[in-house]
Amino acid sequence: MRIIDTHNHIWHCHGEHFAWITDSLSSIRRDFLIEDLEVVLAENHVEGAILVQAIPTIAESEWLLEIAEGNDNIRGVIGWVDISQGAAIKSDLQRLQNKSRCLKGIRYMSQGLPDEHLLTPAFIEGVRCVGEQGLVYELLITSQQLEAARLLISACPEVTFVIEHAAKPAIRNGEIAEWREKLMQTAREHRNVYCKLSGLITEADYSRWTGPEQAYREIEPYIDAVFAAFGTERVMYGSDWPVSLLGLPYAEVLGLYQRYLQTHRTLSSDNFFYRVAKNVYSIK
């Protein structure tokens, strides 16, 4: 089975941008470099990965693109530009695209910001600029921001969107119904939207887990909801490594999704692990 992991980070863990790694997350308070990711991919027979920005700077995106240029395992980069600046981002997009053809998309770190920032005229114009450059726009949002995101998507029908982490449902609180309904509505109304099954591990109360069986039982209803909303043609695999290590080792994250697909035979493992990513990110 061919696997592309659509959501991975690498970083040098220092500076203000890593203040979010508090004492309770100390197990990932260290550097994670491309060499570390290469080992993980090889051990788990994953043939390709997408690197996703972790710092809101052009410089970090350029660093990721340099790494992608020199590594056959890296099939693309989701970089950062300041979408809130509207059409002014065109020069930054061109700068990154001139750096490497490995640039596949852009994301803005919207989680934690007021919902209305997604709907300002400048933000909408910035997202449209991303699409005009043939790039994907990745939504890093919470479940509470899904309604605003749906309106943003409506304003940008020519843009391909990917919802990261399935919009971060509050699994640890058992919240599912409202998130599921909003996700269903978004998927039903907009065929230009895809969803990453990534990041669910750390939205759950993983500190209570005693092993992969308990993790599977807790995550399964949310996987059900994503496939019910988007079908087998618009859902893709992402590990969210190394953040996912807070809850499970990489092999167990991958194994959780493999188990799900093996017990839901009407869904396509090939689509989920490979073909949707290949198509969305134009991977050759």
Side-chain angles (χ1 to χ4, degrees):
M1 180 174 61
R2 304 184 74 176
I3 302 173
I4 295 174
D5 184 342
T6 65
H7 206 96
N8 303 268
H9 303 289
I10 56 175
W11 62 56
H12 293 284
C13 189
H14 59 80
E16 62 177 325
H17 295 300
F18 291 94
W20 63 273
I21 306 182
T22 58
D23 289 345
S24 63
L25 309 179
S26 60
S27 61
I28 60 169
R29 191 192 289 153
R30 65 176 180 87
D31 292 351
F32 287 92
L33 304 179
I34 188 61
E35 294 81 7
D36 301 305
L37 179 57
E38 287 175 327
V39 170
V40 168
L41 298 178
E43 288 177 345
N44 292 279
H45 310 290
V46 176
E47 72 173 64
I50 303 289
L51 296 179
V52 179
Q53 64 84 217
I55 297 174
T57 66
I58 297 291
E60 191 227 22
S61 295
E62 290 183 314
W63 175 61
L64 296 178
L65 290 168
E66 288 175 3
I67 290 169
E69 281 290 323
N71 191 302
D72 291 339
N73 291 327
I74 305 306
R75 303 301 177 85
V77 169
I78 306 302
W80 178 92
V81 299
D82 189 353
I83 296 294
S84 67
Q85 297 303 305
I89 69 169
K90 290 181 180 179
S91 60
D92 286 335
L93 290 173
Q94 193 62 59
R95 172 179 165 183
L96 292 177
Q97 288 184 302
N98 288 342
K99 186 79 175 179
S100 171
R101 289 179 295 179
C102 292
L103 185 70
K104 301 296 183 180
I106 295 293
R107 80 167 183 175
Y108 188 82
M109 302 166 96
S110 290
Q111 64 176 12
L113 297 179
D115 297 2
E116 53 266 27
H117 85 279
L118 291 163
L119 298 174
T120 64
F123 199 92
I124 292 170
E125 181 62 27
V127 172
R128 288 173 177 166
C129 288
V130 171
E132 288 168 3
Q133 294 303 116
L135 300 170
V136 173
Y137 186 77
E138 302 228 341
L139 284 158
L140 176 60
I141 56 171
T142 63
S143 58
Q144 290 77 17
Q145 294 172 310
L146 266 171
E147 178 59 23
R150 186 178 65 82
L151 296 174
L152 169 66
I153 293 163
S154 295
C156 305
E158 304 304 319
V159 180
T160 297
F161 288 88
V162 173
I163 299 176
E164 296 183 346
H165 310 329
K168 307 191 79 166
I171 301 174
R172 62 176 53 87
N173 297 329
E175 297 176 9
I176 190 168
E178 185 177 355
W179 161 81
R180 179 173 53 206
E181 179 53 38
K182 289 180 178 179
L183 205 66
M184 294 280 286
Q185 183 179 6
T186 302
R188 183 171 60 248
E189 293 178 356
H190 303 289
R191 297 294 301 177
N192 56 323
V193 183
Y194 296 78
C195 189
K196 281 185 190 179
L197 267 174
S198 60
L200 297 186
I201 302 301
T202 46
E203 296 306 313
D205 188 4
Y206 53 83
S207 63
R208 297 187 297 104
W209 292 346
T210 56
E213 179 62 33
Q214 190 173 1
Y216 184 83
R217 290 199 305 271
E218 191 162 349
I219 298 296
E220 184 182 23
Y222 296 87
I223 304 176
D224 286 341
V226 170
F227 276 109
F230 288 94
T232 192
E233 304 290 335
R234 291 192 286 159
V235 182
M236 65 185 97
Y237 165 67
S239 67
D240 197 27
W241 181 92
V243 182
S244 58
L245 296 175
L246 293 166
L248 294 173
Y250 187 99
E252 291 183 8
V253 175
L254 177 59
L256 186 153
Y257 292 113
Q258 289 174 326
R259 173 180 172 181
Y260 184 88
L261 271 294
Q262 287 165 1
T263 55
H264 293 75
R265 295 290 187 177
T266 59
L267 302 175
S268 169
S269 294
D270 190 47
N271 280 355
F272 177 67
F273 284 113
Y274 182 72
R275 294 201 177 277
V276 176
K278 181 177 183 293
N279 293 337
V280 170
Y281 299 116
S282 301
I283 296 172
K284 297 179 180 179

